[in-house]
Amino acid sequence: MLQSHNPAPASWDGQPIVLVGLMGVGKSTVGRRLAARLRVPFVDADHEIEAAAGMTIADMFEKFGEAHFRDGERRVIARLVDGRPKVIATGGGAFINDETRALILEQATAIWLTANTDVLVERVRKRDTRPLLRGRDPRQVLADLAAKRNPIYALAPIHVSSHRGPHEATVAAILKAIGR
């Protein structure tokens, strides 16, 4: 069951749509499908960060630390939020940065994708590339991150809950939330 937590559909004005939320919620997968439905480009901020740095996010975390990565992430997202219609999937921590969040809220349509911990754990176990999960219990990490980050994600004006099932249902909920 999908739910959108918005009082009334917003009318999307062509600003970049920025998907925010915890790792594993489906920002990249849903973002690609949403972009296709809207007939706009899709950009994965993590891929753009890796291309700009010439290394993987895991390597950046290992060599330079999270603070260095977050600074690069902020700069790349600032470049991506350029006023042109597109869908941008961000990393789970991007919206937590005050400057990045302010930019997104001012110059884009921010959508918080959320899912319960069981769904997130199931999804993150499919990939071994997430630095914050290395050598740790995914359920505990995700629960801790949710407790800390969900109040900040909630600042996004559009909230869409995703549950087990086809990502196309989440896309449909977003389209409804933006008046499409």
Side-chain angles (χ1 to χ4, degrees):
M1 171 94 182
L2 248 83
Q3 298 174 346
S4 177
H5 305 282
N6 311 301
S11 180
W12 181 54
D13 62 2
Q15 286 185 317
I17 292 173
V18 179
L19 302 178
V20 303
L22 287 172
M23 67 179 88
V25 78
K27 296 179 300 284
S28 295
T29 304
V30 168
R32 276 186 200 87
R33 293 173 187 205
L34 178 63
R37 293 278 297 273
L38 290 171
R39 294 185 175 94
V40 299
F42 169 75
V43 183
D44 186 308
D46 284 350
H47 292 154
E48 293 294 314
I49 293 162
E50 289 178 339
M55 65 177 66
T56 68
I57 289 171
D59 287 344
M60 282 182 260
F61 263 74
E62 187 178 318
K63 290 182 181 182
F64 304 111
E66 185 174 358
H68 177 82
F69 167 75
R70 296 293 174 206
D71 183 57
E73 177 179 59
R74 177 189 52 75
R75 286 181 279 129
V76 167
I77 291 172
R79 177 175 48 83
L80 296 175
V81 177
D82 60 5
R84 288 183 274 188
K86 66 177 69 115
V87 175
I88 303 167
T90 63
F95 200 67
I96 305 310
N97 177 285
D98 293 337
E99 288 179 61
T100 304
R101 182 174 59 256
L103 173 79
I104 290 169
L105 291 173
E106 183 179 306
Q107 298 182 28
T109 300
I111 300 174
W112 175 28
L113 295 183
T114 183
N116 73 38
T117 305
D118 289 337
V119 171
L120 295 174
V121 169
E122 184 179 300
R123 291 176 181 169
V124 300
R125 286 197 169 142
K126 295 176 183 174
R127 288 179 37 206
D128 185 31
T129 58
R130 303 177 191 272
L132 295 178
L133 296 179
R134 290 260 164 91
R136 300 172 68 197
D137 173 36
R139 180 172 304 285
Q140 187 61 56
V141 171
L142 288 163
D144 292 346
L145 286 173
K148 185 187 305 181
R149 293 179 176 180
N150 284 354
I152 299 169
Y153 293 144
L155 297 172
I158 300 172
H159 304 178
V160 175
S161 297
S162 174
H163 302 275
R164 282 186 183 91
H167 288 295
E168 209 45 55
T170 304
V171 171
I174 292 170
L175 290 170
K176 181 178 178 186
I178 64 171
R180 287 294 181 124

